[in-house]
Amino acid sequence: MFSKEKSIIIFIVALTPLAIASVVWALMGITAEKIDAGVITLGVLTIFCSCYLRIQLPRVNIHLTISDGLIILSMLLYGGEIALLLAVIETIIASVNILRQGVTIKPKTILVNAYFAAVSVFATTKAVGWIFGSTELIRQRNDLTSLVWLVALMALSLFLVNSVLVAIFSSLKRDESVWKVWSDNFFSAVTMYLTGAVVAGITYKALDQVNIFLVAAVVGFFGVVYLTFRHFVDDIKTTIEKAKQAE
């Protein structure tokens, strides 16, 4: 039976080749022509949202942000390679920002978070390719039903891969079963990923139609969802603290 620390190291070592291979795949698929003002703007927006519009789930050191929706949007607009690198960069910068705010986070946790981002986007890109083929062809068809299924698959794949990896890592740190960690945070995580998918899909259609009113509606919709969900999480944290004090 391995110790907790040794089990974590084995998990990280086992995940390293896949994460590195995912990043190399992304770098090899990007050309200078693909990096335009839109990519840079989306990247800055994603990093900003990840750093300053984030919700920490109660009882675990897991943060949810609307950047998940922006990663899905980047996959729709620019492909999996750019989305993967954006996800990795955003994750590292967001983790460093959390550290800068005084929150304890170990370097290996930052590394693992980056690994999770790379592997989840890579797996999602491959799943989309296997099931739908080229996303560019789906975009050119301009078929709403196909777009809905495409975005739903992206959100589901990102959720499954990332949530399972996080559950495994958290279970090793907390000496709890993977199922318990995963199921405890299932509702919160799946809600944010599905909401991100909705925002990504509507934003994509709004940009495709250059409809400023639809873009404004998306911003307003997610703003309400974000504030409501944040209030919900804060209430849970307050309830937990009161329960601890009553013990």
Side-chain angles (χ1 to χ4, degrees):
M1 187 68 179
F2 296 119
S3 64
K4 179 194 299 186
E5 193 64 28
K6 191 170 183 179
S7 297
I8 293 174
I9 292 175
I10 291 175
F11 174 70
I12 295 174
V13 170
L15 193 62
T16 297
L18 182 56
I20 293 177
S22 299
V23 173
V24 171
W25 166 82
L27 289 172
M28 292 181 63
I30 294 179
T31 60
E33 291 75 18
K34 291 184 178 181
I35 308 299
D36 57 15
V39 172
I40 295 174
T41 300
L42 185 58
V44 172
L45 180 60
T46 302
I47 292 171
F48 172 81
C49 292
S50 182
C51 289
Y52 300 105
L53 296 178
R54 56 193 304 114
I55 301 171
Q56 181 178 359
L57 297 180
R59 298 187 180 184
V60 294
N61 190 26
I62 299 175
H63 293 80
L64 301 176
T65 77
I66 65 171
S67 59
D68 298 318
L70 296 177
I71 294 299
I72 295 175
L73 179 62
S74 67
M75 293 179 68
L76 284 172
L77 293 174
Y78 304 108
E81 295 89 348
I82 288 179
L84 189 150
L85 294 181
L86 178 57
V88 171
I89 294 171
E90 168 262 317
T91 299
I92 294 174
I93 293 178
S95 298
V96 172
N97 183 64
I98 293 174
L99 184 64
R100 184 181 61 83
Q101 293 174 353
V103 179
T104 301
I105 179 170
K106 297 180 180 179
K108 67 181 177 184
T109 301
I110 297 177
L111 178 65
V112 167
N113 287 338
Y115 280 4
F116 292 168
V119 173
S120 60
V121 175
F122 175 78
T124 298
T125 302
K126 292 303 180 181
V128 168
W130 290 333
I131 296 176
F132 287 99
S134 173
T135 56
E136 182 65 26
L137 294 178
I138 295 178
R139 291 173 53 192
Q140 291 176 359
R141 284 199 321 227
N142 199 28
D143 178 54
L144 181 59
T145 302
S146 297
L147 177 64
V148 170
W149 282 110
L150 174 62
V151 173
L153 175 62
M154 288 180 174
L156 180 62
S157 179
L158 284 172
F159 161 71
L160 287 176
V161 177
N162 197 59
S163 64
V164 169
L165 290 174
V166 169
I168 294 173
F169 184 62
S170 297
S171 68
L172 294 175
K173 293 175 63 177
R174 298 165 59 86
D175 286 329
E176 296 180 350
S177 69
V178 174
W179 171 253
K180 184 178 186 305
V181 176
W182 188 83
S183 60
D184 283 349
N185 296 283
F186 169 82
F187 176 76
S188 299
V190 76
T191 297
M192 291 301 290
Y193 273 102
L194 290 179
T195 303
V198 171
V199 172
I202 297 177
T203 302
Y204 170 77
K205 292 300 293 183
L207 292 173
D208 186 51
Q209 299 174 9
V210 196
N211 190 327
I212 189 62
F213 297 106
L214 192 52
V215 173
V218 171
V219 173
F221 166 76
F222 194 82
V224 172
V225 171
Y226 174 81
L227 293 175
T228 302
F229 190 74
R230 182 161 191 167
H231 179 70
F232 169 72
V233 171
D234 288 342
D235 285 345
I236 293 178
K237 290 181 178 179
T238 301
T239 302
I240 293 173
E241 290 299 324
K242 288 181 178 179
K244 289 181 178 179
Q245 293 174 4
E247 292 178 354

